[in-house]
Amino acid sequence: MDNLLGEFIGTAILITFGCGVVANVSLKGSKGENSGWIVITAAWGFGVIMGAFTSTALGVPQADLNPALTLAKTLNGVYTGTQALATMCVQILGAILGAVIVYIAYLPHWALTEDEKTKLGVFATIPAVRNYGYNFACEFIGTFILIFLIFAIFNPNNGAFPSGLGTYIVGILIWAIGLSLGGPTGYAINPARDLGPRIAHALLPISGKGDSDWRYAWIPIIAPMLASISAYSIAKILNII
C-alpha cells in the first residue's frame, strides 16, 4: 500500500493540468478562451507526464493514475485485488482534489460563463453526438489502444529505456489518442479522470452549473474497464506481455 500517496497526488496533478486546460480554453474571460483542441490535448498529455513523475518521486514504482491501467496490471499479476481496489479509490480521490483546485483557480469565471454544458465540460466528458452505443465504442477503442500500446511500448523487444523516457512516451501516446480519437466523446479513457471531477462538479457550489449528467457517467467508467480486460487479453495472446 506504499503506492497510495503517490497515486493520490499524481492523479491530482494530472487532473489539475487536464481539467485546468479545459477551463482555460472554454470559460468566459479566460486568456486562453477558444484556443482550441490542440491546446487541450497537449495539456492532457503533459499532465500525464507531470502526474507520473510526481507519483514516482513519492515512491510509486509504476505510476498508473488510471483505474483501467491498474486493472490491466492486476490481471498481469502486479497487484493483489485489495491493492488494486485501494489504488483505484485513491486515484478517484486524487481526481476530486485536482478538480477542486481547478474550481478555485478559475473562481471568477464560473459566474461569467452562462452555458451549463461548458461548465460541466471542464470537469467531465460530454459526447459530441449523444448515442450511448457509439459513445461506448469510442471510449472502448481509445482505452484499448492506450492499454495495449503501454504493454507494447514497454515490451523487452523495444529495449530498456533511459530513466524517465517511458513516461514521456506514454504522455505522447495520450496526446496522440486525444488528437486522433478524442473528438466524439472527449476521450476519458480513464474512469478516475471522469468520475472524480464529475463528483466534484456535483458537490461544488458552481454558479449556474446545472446537473452533472449522471445518465452518461457509466460510459467513461465501464467502457475503459472492459477495454482494459480486452487489451490485456489480446496482448497476452500475442505474447506482448
Side-chain angles (χ1 to χ4, degrees), residues 123-209:
F123 296 89
T125 57
I126 302 172
V129 176
R130 187 171 293 256
N131 181 303
Y132 290 160
Y134 296 145
N135 303 151
F136 187 97
C138 185
E139 283 295 329
F140 184 96
I141 292 167
T143 310
F144 182 97
I145 289 173
L146 170 66
I147 303 299
F148 184 83
L149 286 183
I150 286 175
F151 283 133
I153 288 165
F154 291 100
N155 182 277
N157 289 337
N158 286 317
F161 295 129
S163 180
L165 179 59
T167 300
Y168 283 103
I169 296 172
V170 173
I172 292 170
L173 171 60
I174 298 291
W175 191 2
I177 291 171
L179 288 172
S180 301
L181 298 169
T185 60
Y187 74 117
I189 60 174
N190 179 342
R193 172 266 173 272
D194 191 272
L195 179 59
R198 198 181 294 270
I199 291 171
H201 177 272
L203 296 177
L204 288 168
I206 302 167
S207 174
K209 66 180 180 180

Side-chain angles (χ1 to χ4, degrees), residues 93-140:
L93 292 173
I96 293 172
L97 174 60
V100 171
I101 292 170
V102 171
Y103 165 72
I104 295 170
Y106 283 88
L107 200 57
H109 297 271
W110 304 108
L112 296 177
T113 305
E114 296 179 358
D115 186 66
E116 295 176 357
K117 287 187 177 180
T118 298
K119 296 174 187 180
L120 175 60
V122 171
F123 296 89
T125 57
I126 302 172
V129 176
R130 187 171 293 256
N131 181 303
Y132 290 160
Y134 296 145
N135 303 151
F136 187 97
C138 185
E139 283 295 329
F140 184 96

Side-chain angles (χ1 to χ4, degrees), residues 5-237:
L5 178 62
E7 288 285 349
F8 173 73
I9 301 295
T11 306
I13 294 294
L14 162 62
I15 297 302
T16 300
F17 277 93
C19 290
V21 72
V22 180
N24 188 27
V25 170
S26 60
L27 295 182
K28 292 293 184 182
S30 167
K31 291 184 179 293
E33 187 178 0
N34 296 321
S35 51
W37 188 245
I38 290 178
V39 173
I40 290 174
T41 56
W44 274 108
F46 301 157
V48 168
I49 295 170
M50 299 308 164
F53 274 126
T54 302
S55 186
T56 301
L58 290 168
V60 178
Q62 302 185 57
D64 297 346
L65 316 182
N66 182 342
L69 181 55
T70 299
L71 175 58
K73 290 183 177 180
T74 302
L75 295 173
N76 202 35
V78 174
Y79 302 105
T80 66
T82 301
Q83 290 169 334
L85 181 60
T87 299
M88 294 176 189
C89 287
V90 298
Q91 289 163 351
I92 293 169
L93 292 173
I96 293 172
L97 174 60
V100 171
I101 292 170
V102 171
Y103 165 72
I104 295 170
Y106 283 88
L107 200 57
H109 297 271
W110 304 108
L112 296 177
T113 305
E114 296 179 358
D115 186 66
E116 295 176 357
K117 287 187 177 180
T118 298
K119 296 174 187 180
L120 175 60
V122 171
F123 296 89
T125 57
I126 302 172
V129 176
R130 187 171 293 256
N131 181 303
Y132 290 160
Y134 296 145
N135 303 151
F136 187 97
C138 185
E139 283 295 329
F140 184 96
I141 292 167
T143 310
F144 182 97
I145 289 173
L146 170 66
I147 303 299
F148 184 83
L149 286 183
I150 286 175
F151 283 133
I153 288 165
F154 291 100
N155 182 277
N157 289 337
N158 286 317
F161 295 129
S163 180
L165 179 59
T167 300
Y168 283 103
I169 296 172
V170 173
I172 292 170
L173 171 60
I174 298 291
W175 191 2
I177 291 171
L179 288 172
S180 301
L181 298 169
T185 60
Y187 74 117
I189 60 174
N190 179 342
R193 172 266 173 272
D194 191 272
L195 179 59
R198 198 181 294 270
I199 291 171
H201 177 272
L203 296 177
L204 288 168
I206 302 167
S207 174
K209 66 180 180 180
D211 70 71
S212 300
D213 195 13
W214 291 105
R215 293 167 296 177
Y216 180 79
W218 65 275
I219 289 178
I221 297 172
I222 302 301
M225 298 303 270
L226 292 180
S228 174
I229 296 170
S230 299
Y232 164 78
S233 301
I234 298 300
K236 196 73 171 177
I237 291 169

